């Protein structure tokens, strides 16, 4: 009986300490800013995602005020938990999320189910949705992750088609043979200026 109780306590402890982006200080700090700025913006476009979005200088790339709502390390779960911070002025959203879920072991189907909920949030508010493909990972870090990235993108592309949503396949210009091109990254995950230049040309 004592052994069973001990294992139960260990399991509870492990579950309680399960990693969640929502517990990360950077995530908390960024969300606190988004809360503060929610009603102070007149931006019409928001870029939503993880570090790949977070690192983009979007207002300068667009040539107008664009909200950057990327958070480094974020997941679909993290995005769902902060959708309440989206400014009421927003009319259009560009979403890229999911690679961190996959790199932490999530399967494409689970990521997709969260993605659906994110899209539905914006649709209910009458906000135009643009789904951007989750980017492939570069050679040194790809492991088996790109298999799941491909599965996720296939699901997102079909979902977009069925719901009359624009699907922007950035992998067509940033990847080759289902791997992020070395020309566009220094760490096989994040992007350099040349990549952002192609990205903005694709979506504008």
């Amino acid at each position: 009986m004592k052994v069973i109780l001990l294992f139960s306590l260990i399991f509870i402890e492990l579950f309680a300490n399960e990693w969640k982006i929502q517990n990360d200080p950077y995530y908390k700090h960024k969300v606190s800013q988004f809360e503060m700025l929610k009603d102070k913006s007149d931006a019409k476009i928001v870029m939503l995602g993880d570090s790949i979005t977070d690192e983009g200088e979007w207002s300068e790339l667009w040539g107008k005020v664009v909200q950057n709502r990327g958070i480094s390390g974020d997941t679909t779960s993290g995005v769902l938990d902060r959708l309440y911070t989206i400014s009421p002025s927003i009319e259009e959203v560009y979403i890229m999320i999911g690679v961190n879920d996959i790199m932490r072991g999530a399967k494409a189907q689970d990521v997709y189910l969260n993605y659906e909920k994110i899209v539905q949030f914006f649709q209910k508010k009458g906000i135009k949705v643009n789904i951007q493909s989750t980017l492939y990972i570069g050679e040194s870090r790809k492991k088996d992750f790109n298999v799941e990235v491909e599965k996720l993108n296939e699901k997102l592309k079909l979902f977009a088609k069925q719901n009359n949503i624009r699907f922007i396949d950035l992998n067509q210009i940033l990847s080759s043979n289902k791997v992020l091109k070395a020309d566009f990254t220094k760490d096989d995950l994040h992007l350099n200026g040349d990549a952002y230049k192609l990205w903005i040309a694709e979506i504008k």
Side-chain angles (χ1 to χ4, degrees):
M1 185 66 183
K2 289 182 179 180
V3 173
I4 295 173
L5 179 59
L6 178 61
F7 276 107
S8 297
L9 291 172
I10 291 172
F11 178 80
I12 292 169
E13 181 69 17
L14 288 172
F15 185 79
N17 291 327
E18 180 185 8
W19 181 90
K20 289 177 65 176
I21 187 61
Q22 293 91 325
N23 295 328
D24 186 90
Y26 184 77
Y27 177 95
K28 292 179 179 180
H29 294 160
K30 293 287 281 190
V31 171
S32 71
Q33 286 191 68
F34 299 162
E35 289 174 341
M36 176 185 67
L37 297 169
K38 176 181 178 180
D39 298 315
K40 297 181 179 181
S41 174
D42 58 0
K44 305 299 182 186
I45 296 173
V46 60
M47 306 296 291
L48 181 65
D50 50 38
S51 58
I52 300 171
T53 298
D54 193 356
E55 293 183 4
E57 302 296 343
W58 294 110
S59 289
E60 291 170 271
L61 287 164
W62 276 94
K64 58 184 175 183
V65 176
V66 173
Q67 277 191 349
N68 186 339
R69 291 298 180 263
I71 295 183
S72 181
D74 210 357
T75 61
T76 51
S77 172
V79 168
L80 278 170
D81 281 357
R82 61 184 175 93
L83 288 175
Y84 70 93
T85 66
I86 296 295
S87 297
S89 62
I90 294 300
E91 297 177 356
E92 187 171 12
V93 59
Y94 289 78
I95 309 169
M96 181 192 287
I97 194 70
V99 72
N100 289 315
D101 299 67
I102 290 170
M103 291 182 75
R104 289 189 172 273
K107 295 300 182 183
Q109 178 62 18
D110 296 324
V111 182
Y112 170 73
L113 292 175
N114 276 346
Y115 216 118
E116 273 191 320
K117 295 174 185 177
I118 294 168
V119 172
Q120 289 165 1
F121 169 87
F122 290 105
Q123 288 177 320
K124 288 177 181 177
K125 291 184 172 292
I127 296 172
K128 181 180 178 181
V129 176
N130 300 274
I131 296 176
Q132 302 169 114
S133 59
T134 300
L135 296 183
Y136 287 122
I137 299 166
E139 189 65 40
S140 70
R141 301 173 71 168
K142 65 179 182 179
K143 297 184 180 180
D144 296 324
F145 299 140
N146 283 344
V147 174
E148 292 300 318
V149 170
E150 182 179 17
K151 290 178 182 178
L152 174 60
N153 284 326
E154 288 173 352
K155 291 176 182 294
L156 293 175
K157 189 173 183 178
L158 179 60
F159 175 74
K161 182 178 180 180
Q162 292 173 339
N163 290 273
N164 196 30
I165 295 171
R166 182 185 179 195
F167 180 81
I168 304 165
D169 190 357
L170 294 171
N171 283 314
Q172 287 189 342
I173 58 174
L174 299 180
S175 299
S176 178
N177 298 318
K178 302 175 184 178
V179 176
L180 180 63
K181 292 179 182 179
D183 291 344
F184 298 130
T185 181
K186 294 295 185 184
D187 63 0
D188 283 336
L189 183 63
H190 302 98
L191 303 177
N192 62 22
D194 289 336
Y196 283 102
K197 183 178 179 179
L198 291 175
W199 182 349
I200 195 66
E202 190 73 12
I203 65 177
K204 284 179 75 172

